Amino acid sequence: MPLKALIFDVDGTLAETERDGHRVAFNEAFRAAGLDWNWTSDLYGELLAVTGGKERIRHFCQRFDRDFLAQPDVDGLIRRLHEDKTTRYVELVGRGALPMRPGVERLLAEARAEGVRLAIATTTSPDNVTALLRASLTPAADSWFEVIGAGDVVPAKKPAPDIYLWVLERLGLAASDCLAMEDSLNGLRSSLAAGIPTLITEAQYTRGDMFTGALAVLPDLAATSLQTLVRLHARSAGQAGGDKAPLRSA
Ligand code: XBP
Ligand code: MG
């Protein structure tokens, strides 16, 4: 089964966006709203267990500020807080503050040259994705991706398979035609539940996690060529969702 498409996660996979991007924008939005919440780097690592910014704010309140949740129209409050966070994040990445991780740009170029289709499946908001691609690659880079599945287009975020299934449907491809590129356990659960063979590129907050079911676990994509991905994909038949130990490379 030839490799027909690469489906990339964004946060942690394309770029290290969490600690110095999303977290910073969340804290700025909290301050601007007069809230005394401060998400330290360590706390943020714990909060990443919940994907989606609005969902993460709610989860934080359940742990640390239940009074906030007791307010009337708390859904509206969280939505507006998150909109402000998105505006701030888009400004931050628009300044080119978050470069692509090693190997990403070259791999995208190789895929485009070889006719391997590109797509994105992410939990983050669509505006964040286009801002990052345009600022950290080139202004036309969002057009390189045939399908961009992002944010609230599906109600159930990762680790649910929905965003990957949404992308597969729009690509018109079977799961086994594709390779998913992920950095986190929630992402891996999502892609495997959709039946897609998955390669892990470990990130700041996910290094050393147990990625059972992944095809391979790499420290980054610096030494990974498209040919390597084609070979990995070829050995994936029957393995996605299985429990074989992944290849690990230091
Ligand atoms: C990414 C996320 C997102 C971002 C914040 O997970 O969990 O919630 O941290 O984005 P993944 P928003 O890489 O697995 O897709 O604030 O726009 O939701
Ligand atoms: Mg990720």
Side-chain angles (χ1 to χ4, degrees):
M1 181 88 54
L3 175 62
K4 293 186 180 153
L6 294 176
I7 309 178
F8 281 87
D9 168 52
V10 174
D11 298 301
T13 299
L14 290 182
E16 289 284 13
T17 54
E18 295 290 9
R19 190 190 65 195
D20 302 330
H22 290 293
R23 185 185 68 91
V24 170
F26 277 116
N27 282 333
E28 283 179 8
F30 299 155
R31 263 197 306 281
L35 295 161
D36 64 356
W37 305 341
N38 178 39
W39 289 1
T40 62
S41 177
D42 285 351
L43 173 62
Y44 193 68
E46 291 175 32
L47 297 175
L48 282 173
V50 174
T51 63
K54 295 185 286 295
E55 294 83 350
R56 190 168 298 144
I57 292 170
R58 188 176 291 278
H59 169 70
F60 169 80
C61 292
Q62 272 155 359
R63 281 182 63 184
F64 298 108
D65 196 343
R66 284 178 178 257
D67 288 349
F68 187 85
L69 293 180
Q71 296 175 93
D73 190 28
V74 66
D75 290 349
L77 288 175
I78 290 177
R79 197 182 58 248
R80 286 190 291 280
L81 201 49
H82 187 254
E83 277 167 8
D84 186 38
K85 176 260 167 177
T86 300
T87 303
R88 292 168 188 278
Y89 178 84
V90 165
E91 274 170 22
L92 192 151
V93 299
R95 296 197 294 269
L98 301 174
M100 291 287 117
R101 292 189 62 195
V104 167
E105 189 166 357
R106 180 190 36 75
L107 205 48
L108 293 174
E110 285 183 45
R112 295 177 71 224
E114 295 299 323
V116 174
R117 298 161 71 189
L118 295 173
I120 278 176
T122 176
T123 294
T124 202
S125 308
D127 288 353
N128 298 348
V129 181
T130 36
L132 179 73
L133 295 175
R134 288 175 186 174
S136 302
L137 285 165
T138 76
D142 53 319
S143 67
W144 300 351
F145 297 85
E146 235 178 275
V147 178
I148 296 184
D152 296 327
V153 293
V154 291
K157 293 185 175 162
K158 298 176 188 177
D162 303 37
I163 193 68
Y164 276 101
L165 295 173
W166 189 94
V167 169
L168 284 178
E169 192 182 331
R170 277 152 189 83
L171 285 172
L173 291 177
S176 55
D177 292 330
C178 306
L179 191 61
M181 312 291 281
E182 273 287 355
D183 73 300
S184 73
L185 213 40
N186 277 324
L188 177 67
R189 290 198 179 118
S190 173
S191 55
L192 289 185
I196 306 173
T198 304
L199 182 139
I200 294 289
T201 167
E202 290 179 307
Q204 245 165 22
Y205 282 113
T206 66
R207 216 163 285 287
D209 287 353
M210 276 290 291
F211 292 108
T212 306
L215 272 182
V217 179
L218 306 174
D220 56 44
L221 297 172
T224 306
S225 67
L226 183 67
Q227 269 319 305
T228 309
L229 298 188
V230 168
R231 272 201 302 277
L232 276 170
H233 179 257
R235 71 185 281 280
S236 71
Q239 187 175 343
D243 57 2
K244 279 189 208 158
L247 295 177
R248 265 192 185 267
S249 136

